[in-house]
Amino acid sequence: MIQLNDVTLRRGAKVLLQGASTTLHPGEKVGLVGRNGAGKSTLMALFSGALHEDQGEFFMPPGWRLSQVAQEMPETSAAATDFVLAGDQRLAHLRVQLAHAEQSGDGMAIAQAHADLQDAGAHDARARAEALILGLGFLPGQLQQPVNRFSGGWRMRLQLARALMAPSDLLLLDEPTNHLDLDALVWLEGWLARYDGTLVVISHDREFLDAVTRVTLHIEGGRLTRYGGNYSAFEELRAQQLTLQQAAFAKQQDKIAHLQKFIDRFKAKATKARQAQSRVKALERMERIAPVLAEAEFQFEFLEPANLPNPMLVVSDGVFGYAAHDASNAPDTGANNLEPTGATGQFDPETAAPRVILRGVDRTVLAGQRIGILGANGQGKSTFVKTVARTLALLGGQLTEGKGLSIGYFAQQELDVLRPQDTPLEHMVRLARETGQQNSEAAREQQLRNFLGRFNFPGEMVGQPVGQFSGGEKARLVLAMIVWQRPNLLLLDEPTNHLDLATREALAVALNEFEGTVMLVSHDRALLRSVCDEFWLVARGGVAPFDGDLEDYQRHLQDENRRRRDERIAQAAPASDGHGAPAPTAGRPSSALNPAEQRRQDAQRRQQQAERARPHQRALQQTEQRMQAIERERTQLETRLSTAGLAPADMADAGRRLKALQDELAALEEAWLAHASAIEALTTAPSSEQVHAGG
């Protein structure tokens, strides 16, 4: 277990934790919460060994294996799978040991290395690494792409996968959801639910904390308090405690006032001096209850729009993507803010053709709408928003803006609109000029300083370069710039990535009070639920209304994952039915047929599916038989290697044979999975009756 006994932690002269004591038991999943700057990351650094306690005692079992996400951006040409696989350092070390043993011909060392590799899970390590990468939103074709070809957000996903790959007793995650889309976020929640070690996570996503954690550590005012339960339970318990504390404080203040009144009245009277003195001592001995001091909440509001055109904008037969001059710099591997292109859509410098992401989009945005933009990773959400925000040009069709449309755009990467070398004041002065501010220079600067102060930028901060700011501070500056512009249409692309919980709540309140229109892309489900009253789905190259809530959307993501898997299998299957005719497309009847004819065609289709599955079934059976034979031979070899007095040459031969069997077994397991997936896809394809019923 992890124990803190009267621990004090400092950062420079500032005391972040004082007298902190708590215990974390093995297997507990802990959420670490508190305001920005309260000391969460400092406590995490204590857990990781990067910092030591200034006072008190900190204990963690010395044999525990630690894993955490590296914060530096990886720069390597290694394939994505190899990079993640290297996260299991013990496995990498054992493979080096095996190579050295084989070079020296040491049979005993070879046998031991093989046994250790088997214990370390070498036989399925690559499959586990690939499952982590795919779960975090990568495409199968990206498994072997070099790491340095991915954008920054995707490299951080690879760092997360690398941390999950490492066997650990303690897993430390600091804002793991910042670079994830909703589908990857849901996958990560499921993975962490199955993790059997101790987890400590810092996150500002309340639904993620509720789904993952069962213990909450709260840091406030240098104190560390443990609560049993997830974040919602913590909020309820803390509210109850604050209510009780306030009531006790008020009661004590009444008692103090009563005692003080007696002292003031009778301390000068000889007959009452002794009683007055006893009350003075009672006051001195009294343990004072601290008042409930409300934390300085960050609150803001969007200004009332000057006008509300209706409709705000109309898209007719819109084509969204990257023009020829943009395509070479367009994202090709996806990220939280970038769409992957897969095998199609790579930029060709010779043809310089535009890259189309969405086609045939017909959408109308009305005044007062609250629209959540949903879509699996890489489907075109950010491309759609950037085009509406005028950052990208429409490739085709027509986008008609309402008269007086004023757009406030929050880019996913704040530095898309911020200049790192400029100060907040310089940003606002430039914005004031662009928006036609007519005040004098001196009056305008003071006005802008006052305005920035409302967004928690005090006097000294308005003169610091933005590049020195934290992610949350940059996000607040972007919000301030948007509010200044007085928009009537807000386009927000992942605005909460670096905001703490209190600021997220303030944003939700401000958006609900905003009188204009909101279009929101976010993986923060709490924000989507509280702000949006309708959803649009970006998928399969188009944009359409989504009839459902976020739970329905999560089920939709699971269905889409199965569909993409089936498509990959179908692409690898024969293109005809064996008689020269094209194979029928499952689930898409060519025309309306009478029921008898439809049933006949369904029966024929099922027979064709069974025939196409039969070769996979035979291969599956042969693979299973060979795997069983390998297991028997491997057991015999391991027994032989454990025999005393075995000659070194025989030991080396047995070790090499064991290595060959393990390699063959790994290949057979992959083949088994491929055949099993193909059979599942072929035997579960929907009939036309099912398609009609669902359509």
Side-chain angles (χ1 to χ4, degrees), residues 374 534-537 544-550 552-554 556:
L374 304 177
E534 62 180 294
F535 296 105
W536 289 0
L537 178 62
F546 181 76
D547 185 15
D549 56 19
L550 290 179
D552 295 322
Y553 176 63
Q554 291 182 22
H556 164 79

Side-chain angles (χ1 to χ4, degrees), residues 492-514:
L492 307 179
D493 194 353
E494 295 291 357
T496 63
N497 273 354
H498 301 287
L499 300 181
D500 62 20
L501 281 160
T503 309
R504 292 184 184 207
E505 291 170 2
L507 175 61
V509 171
L511 289 176
N512 281 323
E513 294 177 350
F514 177 57

Side-chain angles (χ1 to χ4, degrees), residues 279-317:
R279 283 161 174 75
V280 170
K281 292 180 179 180
L283 276 179
E284 292 173 350
R285 292 193 301 267
M286 186 179 295
E287 184 175 348
R288 299 298 175 97
I289 298 173
V292 175
L293 300 177
E295 296 176 323
E297 296 286 348
F298 170 64
Q299 294 180 340
F300 73 101
E301 61 181 2
F302 292 97
L303 302 177
E304 181 182 355
N307 63 334
L308 286 175
N310 195 21
M312 289 276 182
L313 57 90
V314 178
V315 181
S316 302
D317 198 24

Side-chain angles (χ1 to χ4, degrees), residues 200 463 505 541 607 637:
V200 180
E505 291 170 2
Q607 182 179 358
L637 284 170

Side-chain angles (χ1 to χ4, degrees), residues 549-604:
D549 56 19
L550 290 179
E551 282 68 30
D552 295 322
Y553 176 63
Q554 291 182 22
R555 287 189 287 270
H556 164 79
L557 288 174
Q558 296 170 352
D559 294 340
E560 282 294 290
N561 289 334
R562 284 193 292 268
R563 182 186 65 80
R564 286 195 292 269
R565 182 199 63 187
D566 294 345
E567 283 182 351
R568 292 195 298 270
I569 295 172
Q571 288 170 1
S576 70
D577 63 1
H579 300 284
T585 302
R588 188 181 299 170
S590 58
S591 60
L593 300 173
N594 63 64
E597 178 64 17
Q598 191 64 68
R599 285 194 295 273
R600 187 191 67 78
Q601 289 197 8
D602 285 340
Q604 183 180 6

